Amino acid sequence: MSSEPLFKPTLILHGGAGAIHRSALPPALYARYHASLLSYLRSTKHLLENGATALDAAVHAVSLMEDDELFNCGRGSVFTSAGTIEMEASVMVTSSVPSRDVTNEHAGFKRGAGVIGIKNVRHPIRLARNLLRQTGQDANGNPVDTDGGGGSMHSQLAGPYVEDLARKWGLEFKPDEWFWTKQRWEEHRRGLNKDETDSHSTLMADGAHTYPSQGTVGCVCLDQWGDLAVATSTGGLTNKFPGRVGDSPTLGAGFWAEAWDVDVGDAIPPSIGLRRITMPTTGGKSIWDMTLADCLPGPSSFLRGTFEPSDSQLNSPLLSYQPYIDQKPSLPRRKRRAVAVSGTGNGDSFLRTAAARTACAMARFSKTTVSLADAVSAVAGADGELQRSAGRRWNKTSEGMGGMIGIEAEFDDEDTASSSVLRRGKVVLDFNCGGMYRAYIEDLDGEEIERVMVFKEPYSSDR
Ligand code: ASP
């Protein structure tokens, strides 16, 4: 691993997004969310600044949220319609630095992994990370932490098989009682007594419907070496059917990370021309009998462009011109863009729109340059792809509601010489519903500001 930091590390976290109403978030409850999010933001930033990889930092942040009852993951997970808890988690990595694709410690990993239907594992996110590290299987079909298996280890595994792996890997298990929380149980009971369209909603005093916070958590980190990682963890949706698979463990739906190269300048062709030379004699041989390649300093394959002497040059009896090439051509200049995103909201809508990859693919494949910020808004912002996917059901159920966070980082090889200045990633987010719990570092002209927010506007204690 390069010892020289290339990037200023940065990060963003989310709790849930949904029809969160100010009237359902009194100051005391808001203060609890604020304190939790701020402390996880700070401890993760501290790790990143002290050399943690993006993957370790993102898993750290999510593990903390998995122990916090406020969030719908790990200990605070919601119940299925059968009164059970089935958790899901995922991780994905990429790098903004081309050379690290082959040399970094991620190279031995699969790029992404998700675990499904997990019971009693205290930190499902650690299970997802362990699965990411397994790329092969030994002769007995057991996962191995090496590349020897030829990439034969799967990217998604479901319980109970993967729980046996968690035991083998020494992960911590907790009994059912540890995961039981009063608030989630009450949400579950209330939901069972309602019909399908409003089984998740509660009517507020102002006439609006609110849905139990779809509180999936996620964290996206950029480390000092330019690597990006996303970690996402959830209990799913309140009263989901047992066995339902959501977006959070599904690559491309609730999370994604990728990097690609872009040309940022044309190749520079060699400069070719004619130079006057003093050649008293050519021994009867015309200089034009020499091929252009004979006159070039390097292999003729470098040659781009055409050389066409004029008639008068060709017919000159003095033979006093020689073709020349002044410089070697350069290959097109390239830079690498890397993105990683995590989503929260109605997972079935994220699945139907392949929301996370759709946002990243917009940034990658659009004909004009589209920033990750704009792509995330086009999917998860007001009137975006998720909202439109709900059609007539928009605002009648939780369908289509959600938000997304992410980081975009760029690495331009040409900057390498001036790398005393650390590059910076860009933190992005958007949501199409009442609110999204989130904490992030905002870069204001080089000054780092901690932000903890729920709504579009800052929380105010007067309604
Ligand atoms: N996306 C999650 C799911 O549907 C729920 C959430 O984000 O809160 O499983």
Side-chain angles (χ1 to χ4, degrees):
M1 183 177 283
S2 153
S3 51
E4 287 303 312
L6 299 169
F7 281 83
K8 179 99 188 130
T10 194
L11 76 152
I12 179 164
L13 314 170
H14 69 76
I20 306 167
H21 280 260
R22 171 64 189 79
S23 51
L25 190 61
L29 182 56
Y30 172 76
R32 287 176 59 206
Y33 275 107
H34 189 280
S36 284
L37 286 167
L38 185 59
S39 107
Y40 307 151
L41 181 77
R42 285 183 176 165
S43 80
T44 309
K45 181 166 184 274
H46 179 78
L47 281 187
L48 282 168
E49 286 175 347
N50 285 282
T53 63
L55 177 63
D56 285 346
V59 168
H60 163 83
V62 169
S63 303
L64 292 172
M65 290 194 268
E66 286 176 335
D67 278 347
D68 187 334
E69 289 181 24
L70 282 175
F71 301 100
N72 171 15
C73 59
R75 188 169 201 183
S77 289
V78 299
F79 288 88
T80 67
S81 55
T84 53
I85 286 180
E86 297 182 2
M87 299 173 286
E88 304 177 319
S90 59
V91 284
M92 196 153 181
V93 291
T94 192
S95 182
S96 61
V97 180
S99 58
R100 292 180 60 76
D101 269 355
V102 287
T103 57
N104 77 17
E105 64 163 292
H106 295 163
F109 301 178
K110 295 186 294 296
R111 245 171 14 99
V115 292
I116 295 163
I118 305 304
K119 293 183 174 158
N120 303 103
V121 175
R122 177 171 174 182
H123 297 116
I125 198 66
R126 296 188 186 168
L127 184 52
R129 177 181 52 189
N130 276 29
L131 178 59
L132 182 85
R133 290 179 182 277
Q134 311 299 321
T135 56
Q137 299 167 26
D138 67 16
N140 302 318
N142 293 316
V144 288
D145 192 358
T146 71
D147 225 355
S152 55
M153 176 44 69
H154 313 298
S155 286
Q156 285 183 296
L157 282 178
Y161 171 74
V162 72
E163 289 156 16
D164 289 344
L165 289 179
R167 267 183 212 99
K168 273 192 207 150
W169 290 332
L171 295 183
E172 195 177 349
F173 277 71
K174 288 285 185 188
D176 287 348
E177 309 81 78
W178 194 82
F179 290 91
W180 190 95
T181 60
K182 187 164 179 289
Q183 187 199 334
R184 299 304 185 202
W185 185 252
E186 285 172 356
E187 284 169 4
H188 159 66
R189 300 300 308 166
R190 271 202 306 274
L192 289 183
N193 296 329
K194 294 187 172 171
D195 69 27
E196 206 202 324
T197 42
D198 75 350
S199 66
H200 301 302
S201 74
T202 303
L203 190 59
M204 305 303 295
D206 55 8
H209 283 266
T210 187
Y211 304 88
S213 173
Q214 298 158 1
T216 294
V217 305
C219 177
V220 183
C221 291
L222 169 68
D223 67 27
Q224 42 183 299
W225 299 285
D227 294 339
L228 279 170
V230 50
T232 308
S233 182
T234 190
L237 293 177
T238 302
N239 292 337
K240 66 183 182 181
F241 287 178
R244 176 259 193 183
V245 179
D247 59 318
S248 307
T250 305
L251 291 89
F255 69 103
W256 189 254
E258 74 179 294
W260 65 96
D261 293 330
V262 239
D263 291 349
V264 283
D266 291 337
I268 304 169
S271 148
I272 299 169
L274 287 176
R275 176 184 297 129
R276 223 184 143 94
I277 51 168
T278 28
M279 287 185 70
T281 170
T282 59
K285 183 185 179 197
S286 161
I287 196 168
W288 304 117
D289 292 340
M290 298 162 77
T291 65
L292 185 56
D294 289 334
C295 307
L296 297 177
S300 57
S301 57
F302 274 121
L303 185 63
R304 306 273 192 284
T306 52
F307 165 68
E308 284 185 50
S310 68
D311 285 353
S312 66
Q313 287 163 346
L314 278 170
N315 298 328
S316 163
L318 296 173
L319 300 173
S320 59
Y321 291 91
Q322 187 185 45
Y324 73 88
I325 179 163
D326 250 1
Q327 64 182 78
K328 283 192 182 161
S330 71
L331 295 171
R333 217 179 105 215
R334 316 208 92 187
K335 76 176 175 191
R336 171 163 279 219
R337 288 178 72 193
V339 294
V341 298
S342 174
T344 173
N346 184 302
D348 299 299
S349 302
F350 276 74
L351 280 163
R352 284 192 280 265
T353 55
R357 176 80 209 295
T358 297
C360 296
M362 278 175 146
R364 178 169 182 171
F365 296 114
S366 298
K367 288 234 161 61
T368 53
T369 307
V370 171
S371 66
L372 182 66
D374 287 345
V376 160
S377 294
V379 173
D383 221 15
E385 191 60 17
L386 277 167
Q387 177 172 336
R388 275 180 275 137
S389 74
R392 284 179 286 113
R393 292 184 294 274
W394 175 248
N395 249 335
K396 297 199 170 62
T397 67
S398 65
E399 202 172 323
M401 288 188 187
M404 209 181 275
I405 62 166
I407 297 180
E408 167 158 22
E410 270 185 18
F411 183 87
D412 186 339
D413 234 355
E414 298 274 302
D415 305 340
T416 320
S418 59
S419 62
S420 53
V421 179
L422 291 180
R423 298 157 181 85
R424 285 172 182 265
K426 182 155 174 32
V427 161
V428 308
L429 67 100
D430 208 347
F431 52 97
N432 60 22
C433 44
M436 175 168 73
Y437 293 95
R438 58 201 189 271
Y440 55 102
I441 305 293
E442 187 169 339
D443 184 346
L444 280 184
D445 298 327
E447 197 194 339
E448 294 193 329
I449 317 273
E450 293 168 332
R451 298 267 183 233
V452 179
M453 296 187 71
V454 183
F455 305 112
K456 297 265 178 192
E457 306 303 327
Y459 183 88
S460 128
S461 34
D462 9 287
R463 298 234 190 119

